[in-house]
Amino acid sequence: MNGLISFLTLLSWFKDRQPQKYENIKSLIKELVFSVKHISKELEELLADKNSAPIEIEILYNTLFNSDEESELISAINEFLKHIKELEMFSEKEIKQFEKVLKDFKITIALVANVYNNLKRGGRREYISINELWKESE
Amino acid sequence: MERIRIKDLVLSKSARRRIKKLEKTNPLAAARIKSWLYSFTKIEFNNKYLHKKFDIKKTRFCRRYVAHFANHAIFVYFDFKEQIMFVEDIVPA
């Protein structure tokens, strides 16, 4: 993650020296963020398909969560958004578009966890009332 | 437009575990999520309101209502007939 921050900071420095190349890199970053939309769509189709193999979902879960329930990818996306805002490389409108695309992507990643957990439990779950949770917290 | 009233709000063990964990690591987020969930039992709402609050995602199991709140994805299933809201999962997002 630090590498990406250094790269983005270096890019700001590059701006005055090579304006045209700087603009090209900016377009590439934009294209990269928007391509995430297609990944989200593909993933959602896989998760909705009853015929998709559970092993495929398990591999996907392990790749995204790396055996830890907190996804490093999500932390990286949050850091990316934070720094891209600080560096003021993109307009407010573009940042809003990035936020929307990346928020949808983060939800899709969470959906992978949800489907994987359901597969692991065979769809069975035990529930408790929220009133009990309130009592426990008091 | 038909109005919906939730009589009972229940959480899965994993959702409860996540809130318990958040109460230690990020109490503000835990309190925000709990109040947000609880608010659904206090009001009458229609389908339009529900669609404003949640995205609908289709999974291989069934349709899930997903909300992005306090940096978490909250997965909910509604039993409209029994007027129960099931909180299935709360995942950092």
Side-chain angles (χ1 to χ4, degrees):
Chain A
M1 195 59 227
N2 284 339
L4 180 63
I5 296 162
S6 311
F7 175 73
L8 291 173
T9 314
L10 185 69
L11 209 55
S12 306
W13 172 83
F14 193 58
K15 186 180 178 180
D16 301 326
R17 284 159 182 82
Q18 297 278 354
Q20 189 49 50
K21 282 186 181 147
Y22 171 79
E23 285 304 319
N24 291 346
I25 296 173
K26 257 180 66 178
S27 322
L28 282 174
I29 293 178
K30 219 168 144 178
E31 205 177 309
L32 179 73
V33 173
F34 288 134
S35 68
V36 164
K37 245 191 211 175
H38 304 290
I39 303 176
S40 294
K41 199 169 164 272
E42 282 286 324
L43 282 178
E44 281 183 25
E45 275 171 19
L46 176 85
L47 296 171
D49 185 0
K50 282 190 179 151
N51 296 319
S52 56
I55 188 74
E56 209 174 351
I57 293 167
E58 189 175 345
I59 292 168
L60 196 58
Y61 176 84
N62 289 334
T63 311
L64 289 170
F65 290 85
N66 196 17
S67 74
D68 189 353
E69 57 179 9
E70 311 285 342
S71 168
E72 279 180 28
L73 181 58
I74 285 175
S75 314
I77 292 170
N78 291 340
E79 283 290 309
F80 170 76
L81 273 173
K82 197 178 130 201
H83 286 279
I84 218 140
K85 266 190 220 169
E86 279 171 7
L87 291 168
E88 294 175 355
M89 281 169 70
F90 296 94
S91 68
E92 255 183 59
K93 192 185 163 200
E94 285 169 320
I95 296 274
K96 279 220 169 88
Q97 287 173 328
F98 285 7
E99 279 175 337
K100 194 185 174 307
V101 171
L102 293 174
K103 190 188 101 180
D104 286 346
F105 185 54
K106 286 193 285 180
I107 287 181
T108 309
I109 294 173
L111 196 64
V112 173
N114 179 260
V115 171
Y116 173 74
N117 288 337
N118 267 316
L119 275 173
K120 226 171 50 175
R121 289 192 191 95
R124 294 183 306 274
R125 277 173 196 273
E126 281 179 60
Y127 290 93
I128 62 149
S129 169
I130 197 165
N131 293 326
E132 285 175 44
L133 189 73
W134 281 119
K135 273 185 224 155
E136 281 173 19
S137 310
E138 275 166 9
Chain B
M1 203 177 280
E2 200 189 339
R3 297 190 73 78
I4 306 155
R5 173 134 208 143
I6 297 297
K7 277 188 188 158
D8 203 2
L9 171 64
V10 292
L11 292 110
S12 71
K13 278 189 176 173
S14 69
R16 181 174 66 161
R17 232 184 2 253
R18 172 68 60 188
I19 288 184
K20 288 266 157 213
K21 193 176 167 189
L22 274 177
E23 278 172 349
K24 289 191 187 113
T25 57
N26 190 348
L28 182 66
R32 284 185 67 205
I33 292 173
K34 278 200 293 181
S35 317
W36 186 79
L37 288 172
Y38 206 58
S39 69
F40 285 92
T41 62
K42 295 284 159 207
I43 50 162
E44 250 190 19
F45 49 87
N46 57 19
N47 224 10
K48 200 176 159 192
Y49 177 82
L50 218 54
H51 281 82
K52 218 169 105 181
K53 296 276 175 189
F54 296 94
D55 282 337
I56 298 179
K57 303 275 182 202
K58 205 173 140 232
T59 72
R60 58 191 285 150
F61 296 98
C62 64
R63 267 172 20 138
R64 291 277 176 270
Y65 287 77
V66 194
H68 189 256
F69 188 76
N71 288 330
H72 284 77
I74 303 170
F75 292 87
V76 176
Y77 171 74
F78 287 97
D79 184 334
F80 294 115
K81 206 173 140 214
E82 299 294 329
Q83 295 171 280
I84 305 173
M85 178 173 165
F86 295 90
V87 183
E88 258 215 336
D89 255 345
I90 300 174
V91 185

